[in-house]
PDB file of all heavy atoms in Angstrom:
ATOM      1  N   MET S   1       0.830  -1.200   0.000  1.00 47.00           N
ATOM      2  CA  MET S   1       0.000   0.000   0.000  1.00 47.00           C
ATOM      3  C   MET S   1       0.871   1.259   0.000  1.00 47.00           C
ATOM      4  O   MET S   1       1.904   1.325   0.639  1.00 47.00           O
ATOM      5  CB  MET S   1      -0.877  -0.039   1.263  1.00 47.00           C
ATOM      6  CG  MET S   1      -1.881   1.053   1.326  1.00 47.00           C
ATOM      7  SD  MET S   1      -2.680   0.994   2.935  1.00 47.00           S
ATOM      8  CE  MET S   1      -2.497   2.663   3.411  1.00 47.00           C
ATOM      9  N   THR S   2       0.438   2.254  -0.777  1.00 63.00           N
ATOM     10  CA  THR S   2       1.242   3.486  -0.891  1.00 63.00           C
ATOM     11  C   THR S   2       1.133   4.269   0.414  1.00 63.00           C
ATOM     12  O   THR S   2       0.037   4.441   0.955  1.00 63.00           O
ATOM     13  CB  THR S   2       0.702   4.370  -2.032  1.00 63.00           C
ATOM     14  OG1 THR S   2       0.233   3.509  -3.057  1.00 63.00           O
ATOM     15  CG2 THR S   2       1.728   5.328  -2.527  1.00 63.00           C
ATOM     16  N   LEU S  45      -1.899   5.790 -10.977  1.00 88.00           N
ATOM     17  CA  LEU S  45      -2.660   4.655 -10.422  1.00 88.00           C
ATOM     18  C   LEU S  45      -2.968   3.602 -11.483  1.00 88.00           C
ATOM     19  O   LEU S  45      -3.082   2.414 -11.186  1.00 88.00           O
ATOM     20  CB  LEU S  45      -3.988   5.147  -9.813  1.00 88.00           C
ATOM     21  CG  LEU S  45      -3.873   5.982  -8.537  1.00 88.00           C
ATOM     22  CD1 LEU S  45      -5.253   6.465  -8.120  1.00 88.00           C
ATOM     23  CD2 LEU S  45      -3.224   5.180  -7.428  1.00 88.00           C
ATOM     24  N   LEU S  48      -1.228   0.236 -11.575  1.00 87.00           N
ATOM     25  CA  LEU S  48      -1.249  -0.673 -10.414  1.00 87.00           C
ATOM     26  C   LEU S  48      -2.272  -1.788 -10.612  1.00 87.00           C
ATOM     27  O   LEU S  48      -3.189  -1.675 -11.425  1.00 87.00           O
ATOM     28  CB  LEU S  48      -1.609   0.118  -9.151  1.00 87.00           C
ATOM     29  CG  LEU S  48      -0.643   1.227  -8.733  1.00 87.00           C
ATOM     30  CD1 LEU S  48      -1.162   1.913  -7.483  1.00 87.00           C
ATOM     31  CD2 LEU S  48       0.753   0.676  -8.485  1.00 87.00           C
ATOM     32  N   ALA S  49      -2.099  -2.831  -9.797  1.00 88.00           N
ATOM     33  CA  ALA S  49      -3.080  -3.928  -9.798  1.00 88.00           C
ATOM     34  C   ALA S  49      -4.377  -3.390  -9.210  1.00 88.00           C
ATOM     35  O   ALA S  49      -4.336  -2.465  -8.387  1.00 88.00           O
ATOM     36  CB  ALA S  49      -2.564  -5.071  -8.942  1.00 88.00           C
ATOM     37  N   PRO S  50      -5.531  -3.936  -9.629  1.00 89.00           N
ATOM     38  CA  PRO S  50      -6.822  -3.365  -9.220  1.00 89.00           C
ATOM     39  C   PRO S  50      -6.975  -3.157  -7.718  1.00 89.00           C
ATOM     40  O   PRO S  50      -7.410  -2.090  -7.285  1.00 89.00           O
ATOM     41  CB  PRO S  50      -7.823  -4.393  -9.723  1.00 89.00           C
ATOM     42  CG  PRO S  50      -7.131  -5.080 -10.841  1.00 89.00           C
ATOM     43  CD  PRO S  50      -5.674  -5.048 -10.551  1.00 89.00           C
ATOM     44  N   ASP S  51      -6.579  -4.073  -6.926  1.00 88.00           N
ATOM     45  CA  ASP S  51      -6.711  -3.960  -5.466  1.00 88.00           C
ATOM     46  C   ASP S  51      -5.908  -2.802  -4.925  1.00 88.00           C
ATOM     47  O   ASP S  51      -6.387  -1.970  -4.154  1.00 88.00           O
ATOM     48  CB  ASP S  51      -6.201  -5.262  -4.824  1.00 88.00           C
ATOM     49  CG  ASP S  51      -7.358  -5.979  -4.154  1.00 88.00           C
ATOM     50  OD1 ASP S  51      -8.519  -5.570  -4.464  1.00 88.00           O
ATOM     51  OD2 ASP S  51      -7.103  -6.886  -3.322  1.00 88.00           O
ATOM     52  N   GLU S  52      -4.679  -2.815  -5.361  1.00 88.00           N
ATOM     53  CA  GLU S  52      -3.740  -1.764  -4.921  1.00 88.00           C
ATOM     54  C   GLU S  52      -4.244  -0.390  -5.382  1.00 88.00           C
ATOM     55  O   GLU S  52      -4.188   0.594  -4.664  1.00 88.00           O
ATOM     56  CB  GLU S  52      -2.380  -2.025  -5.576  1.00 88.00           C
ATOM     57  CG  GLU S  52      -1.290  -2.347  -4.600  1.00 88.00           C
ATOM     58  CD  GLU S  52       0.032  -2.550  -5.344  1.00 88.00           C
ATOM     59  OE1 GLU S  52       0.058  -3.462  -6.220  1.00 88.00           O
ATOM     60  OE2 GLU S  52       0.960  -1.782  -5.095  1.00 88.00           O
ATOM     61  N   ARG S  53      -4.755  -0.407  -6.621  1.00 89.00           N
ATOM     62  CA  ARG S  53      -5.219   0.856  -7.212  1.00 89.00           C
ATOM     63  C   ARG S  53      -6.331   1.472  -6.346  1.00 89.00           C
ATOM     64  O   ARG S  53      -6.341   2.664  -6.064  1.00 89.00           O
ATOM     65  CB  ARG S  53      -5.749   0.601  -8.612  1.00 89.00           C
ATOM     66  CG  ARG S  53      -5.982   1.870  -9.400  1.00 89.00           C
ATOM     67  CD  ARG S  53      -6.762   1.603 -10.650  1.00 89.00           C
ATOM     68  NE  ARG S  53      -6.146   0.616 -11.508  1.00 89.00           N
ATOM     69  CZ  ARG S  53      -6.816  -0.143 -12.391  1.00 89.00           C
ATOM     70  NH1 ARG S  53      -8.116   0.000 -12.523  1.00 89.00           N
ATOM     71  NH2 ARG S  53      -6.202  -1.039 -13.124  1.00 89.00           N
ATOM     72  N   ARG S  54      -7.271   0.634  -5.893  1.00 89.00           N
ATOM     73  CA  ARG S  54      -8.395   1.139  -5.108  1.00 89.00           C
ATOM     74  C   ARG S  54      -7.906   1.770  -3.801  1.00 89.00           C
ATOM     75  O   ARG S  54      -8.236   2.892  -3.465  1.00 89.00           O
ATOM     76  CB  ARG S  54      -9.388   0.012  -4.837  1.00 89.00           C
ATOM     77  CG  ARG S  54     -10.705   0.492  -4.263  1.00 89.00           C
ATOM     78  CD  ARG S  54     -11.802  -0.561  -4.411  1.00 89.00           C
ATOM     79  NE  ARG S  54     -11.319  -1.917  -4.280  1.00 89.00           N
ATOM     80  CZ  ARG S  54     -11.124  -2.523  -3.090  1.00 89.00           C
ATOM     81  NH1 ARG S  54     -11.417  -1.908  -1.985  1.00 89.00           N
ATOM     82  NH2 ARG S  54     -10.659  -3.770  -3.035  1.00 89.00           N
ATOM     83  N   GLN S  55      -7.051   0.994  -3.134  1.00 89.00           N
ATOM     84  CA  GLN S  55      -6.547   1.486  -1.828  1.00 89.00           C
ATOM     85  C   GLN S  55      -5.762   2.790  -1.997  1.00 89.00           C
ATOM     86  O   GLN S  55      -5.991   3.772  -1.297  1.00 89.00           O
ATOM     87  CB  GLN S  55      -5.644   0.421  -1.226  1.00 89.00           C
ATOM     88  CG  GLN S  55      -6.424  -0.630  -0.489  1.00 89.00           C
ATOM     89  CD  GLN S  55      -5.501  -1.558   0.292  1.00 89.00           C
ATOM     90  OE1 GLN S  55      -4.305  -1.309   0.431  1.00 89.00           O
ATOM     91  NE2 GLN S  55      -6.085  -2.640   0.800  1.00 89.00           N
ATOM     92  N   ALA S  56      -4.830   2.745  -2.964  1.00 88.00           N
ATOM     93  CA  ALA S  56      -3.989   3.935  -3.169  1.00 88.00           C
ATOM     94  C   ALA S  56      -4.852   5.121  -3.593  1.00 88.00           C
ATOM     95  O   ALA S  56      -4.638   6.261  -3.160  1.00 88.00           O
ATOM     96  CB  ALA S  56      -2.934   3.641  -4.230  1.00 88.00           C
ATOM     97  N   GLY S  57      -5.838   4.850  -4.439  1.00 89.00           N
ATOM     98  CA  GLY S  57      -6.740   5.919  -4.897  1.00 89.00           C
ATOM     99  C   GLY S  57      -7.474   6.559  -3.748  1.00 89.00           C
ATOM    100  O   GLY S  57      -7.522   7.795  -3.625  1.00 89.00           O
ATOM    101  N   GLN S  58      -8.019   5.698  -2.869  1.00 90.00           N
ATOM    102  CA  GLN S  58      -8.742   6.252  -1.709  1.00 90.00           C
ATOM    103  C   GLN S  58      -7.817   7.125  -0.866  1.00 90.00           C
ATOM    104  O   GLN S  58      -8.158   8.244  -0.481  1.00 90.00           O
ATOM    105  CB  GLN S  58      -9.279   5.109  -0.856  1.00 90.00           C
ATOM    106  CG  GLN S  58     -10.656   4.654  -1.299  1.00 90.00           C
ATOM    107  CD  GLN S  58     -11.117   3.419  -0.535  1.00 90.00           C
ATOM    108  OE1 GLN S  58     -10.419   2.933   0.380  1.00 90.00           O
ATOM    109  NE2 GLN S  58     -12.267   2.901  -0.915  1.00 90.00           N
TER     110      GLN S  58
END
Side-chain angles (χ1 to χ4, degrees):
M1 186 187 129
T2 325
L45 291 176
L48 298 179
D51 246 14
E52 244 182 301
R53 192 192 304 155
R54 191 162 35 83
Q55 276 189 10
Q58 272 174 3

